[in-house]
Amino acid sequence: MKETVLDRLGIPHSLRWGFVGLLVFMTGNGTESNFIAPHIEAVLGTPEATVATIISMYGLAVLVASYLAGALADLWGPRRVMTLGVIVWVVFEVLFLLSLQAESFWGVVVSYFLRGFGYPLFAFAFLVWVTAVTPYSRNGAAVGWFYVMFTGGLPTLGSLFAIGMIPAFGGGTGGETAAMVGATGLVVAGWAICHFGVRERHAHQRLAPAGETSAQVLTAGLRLTAKNPRILMGFLVRLINTAPQYGMFVILPTVIAVDLGWGQNRWLTMTVFVYATNIGVNAVFGWVGDKWGWRRTVQWFGVFGSAVGLLLWWYVPQAVPAGSTWGFWVSVAAGCVFGCLLAGFVPMGAIMPALAPDHKGAAMAMYTTAAGGAAFLGAAVVAIMLALGTGNVGVVWAFVALYAAAFVMMYWLDVPRRAEDLPASAEPAGAGERP
């Protein structure tokens, strides 16, 4: 079929409404991202370290579900997995909110953990769908557009939605609860846009190689990682990628809003600006990777640049006068450096399947596992460093050390940028086709 403008930009025309639905879904999922830690702390009266542990358990569920998203999408087709994800999200969000109202510690722990299985099944099954449809030469741009929508919702538009909802319903924990109720409606709306708006032949199609059993498909990513050390390194680099983002979601709400006196509304405003910057350059770095080289783009813009940006985001707010308006905006600018350069990791979504062109589905299962596992790693680093008594400064430098490790690993992750340099099987089935 004839290519459209969207195809040439890197957005498969047949999946255009899927990208819109992903944005709406992730807006609902991201609504709580920048107030959930202090919310749980206030409602249950638990210390910060305990809340970090609760969130790290949620991150563990995200990690497991992220692997299952890739494996099950290979086995069942992506649409069924996306529907399973929204069902899990809604059911356990309702139970989570009821547990908070009842001030049930274990109810909160269990329901929030199980809700963590929801969004990866939806989002990363769609990412597998994107890579199954997009031509190899545009994979970097397509993954970039995926993250425009993903980060557009979590946390950018999600935080903006919270800014409007919380004061509209009285502020405090009551307003935050109302925001989370409203977020559930956005999650369902996002699923509906994807479900009814996309008509593409891979929706219910098994993507795994013919002849593989269900057990082989479900364990393919693990077996590939055990045999291919470059897949393991790619997994670790992607795991490290956004771990600091999730770690900052745990420690910065209190630091910015309370310790430095800027309040919750300005903290949420800061996150909107930081991740709006990220949205603006996700597609750009996908294009840069396609032209300049995926490995070099990740290594220098993603890894090195994000480490510098993270240090700026932490130290600049400490250096300006606490509570000052001009100091707040300087701190926002510092955070935007991190948000911008974090997009330099976008080509990892093209690197991973190119590392194993005959096992693209298994490689993407490990990529999605790492993408989701970053939430677990980020919260776990916070919990561990606080337990060790290093304070928040120790958390930040632990993330910088992880970035240093990722920088070294990138030297082993060079792959061809042209489909003709790979085996014929590397080109996705149905690439470039649309109904």
Side-chain angles (χ1 to χ4, degrees), residues 1-19:
M1 298 293 290
K2 184 179 179 181
E3 284 191 330
T4 69
V5 173
L6 286 178
D7 289 316
R8 289 191 289 273
L9 288 173
I11 299 176
H13 180 84
S14 57
L15 298 182
R16 62 196 183 281
W17 286 109
F19 283 88

Side-chain angles (χ1 to χ4, degrees), residues 260 262 311-321 327 330-335:
L260 298 178
W262 281 311
L311 291 172
L312 288 173
W313 197 13
W314 174 254
Y315 281 107
V316 169
Q318 316 293 331
V320 300
V330 170
S331 300
V332 169

Side-chain angles (χ1 to χ4, degrees), residues 279-296:
I279 294 169
V281 293
N282 267 320
V284 172
F285 276 116
W287 179 85
V288 170
D290 287 342
K291 301 298 182 183
W292 189 53
W294 294 335
R295 180 192 63 79
R296 285 193 292 179

Side-chain angles (χ1 to χ4, degrees), residues 80-102:
R80 291 188 181 93
V81 183
M82 293 168 72
T83 298
L84 176 62
V86 79
I87 292 170
V88 169
W89 200 101
V90 171
V91 168
F92 290 106
E93 174 72 355
V94 171
L95 293 176
F96 173 63
L97 292 173
L98 291 174
S99 297
L100 283 170
Q101 292 301 305

Side-chain angles (χ1 to χ4, degrees), residues 5 21 31 41 58 105 113 150 170 197 236 264 288 291 303 331 344 346 369-370 380 397 408 435:
V5 173
T31 296
E41 188 175 347
Y58 167 88
F105 175 82
F113 170 76
F150 186 98
L236 293 174
Q264 184 190 61
V288 170
K291 301 298 182 183
V303 183
S331 300
V346 159
T369 304
W397 281 99
V408 174

Side-chain angles (χ1 to χ4, degrees), residues 162-242:
I163 288 172
M165 287 288 287
I166 292 172
F169 287 87
T173 56
E176 291 167 355
T177 298
M180 288 189 280
V181 172
T184 306
L186 290 176
V187 163
V188 174
W191 168 82
I193 292 169
C194 288
H195 188 79
F196 297 107
V198 177
R199 293 290 181 267
E200 200 281 326
R201 67 184 183 86
H202 293 85
H204 298 288
Q205 181 177 314
R206 174 190 167 108
L207 303 178
E212 285 194 1
T213 66
S214 296
Q216 287 174 323
V217 174
L218 291 174
T219 60
L222 298 175
R223 290 185 286 111
L224 177 63
T225 304
K227 293 187 295 184
N228 188 336
R230 294 211 298 165
I231 291 291
L232 176 60
M233 284 189 281
F235 169 83
L236 293 174
V237 169
R238 182 58 186 89
L239 187 67
I240 292 166
N241 172 1
T242 47

Side-chain angles (χ1 to χ4, degrees), residues 347-371:
M348 281 304 302
I351 289 173
M352 284 294 278
L355 289 172
D358 294 322
H359 300 89
K360 294 184 298 292
M364 284 306 295
M366 297 312 298
Y367 175 85
T368 58
T369 304

Side-chain angles (χ1 to χ4, degrees), residues 241-332:
N241 172 1
T242 47
Q245 168 185 314
Y246 292 104
M248 291 293 120
F249 289 167
V250 177
I251 65 175
L252 275 187
T254 300
V255 171
I256 298 296
V258 180
D259 298 347
L260 298 178
W262 281 311
Q264 184 190 61
N265 194 64
R266 279 193 166 178
W267 159 242
L268 293 173
T269 300
M270 176 182 281
T271 62
V272 170
F273 276 92
V274 169
Y275 291 100
T277 305
N278 179 264
I279 294 169
V281 293
N282 267 320
V284 172
F285 276 116
W287 179 85
V288 170
D290 287 342
K291 301 298 182 183
W292 189 53
W294 294 335
R295 180 192 63 79
R296 285 193 292 179
T297 300
V298 172
Q299 188 172 34
W300 288 103
F301 287 108
V303 183
F304 180 77
S306 294
V308 172
L310 180 65
L311 291 172
L312 288 173
W313 197 13
W314 174 254
Y315 281 107
V316 169
Q318 316 293 331
V320 300
S324 68
T325 299
W326 73 266
F328 170 75
W329 288 110
V330 170
S331 300
V332 169

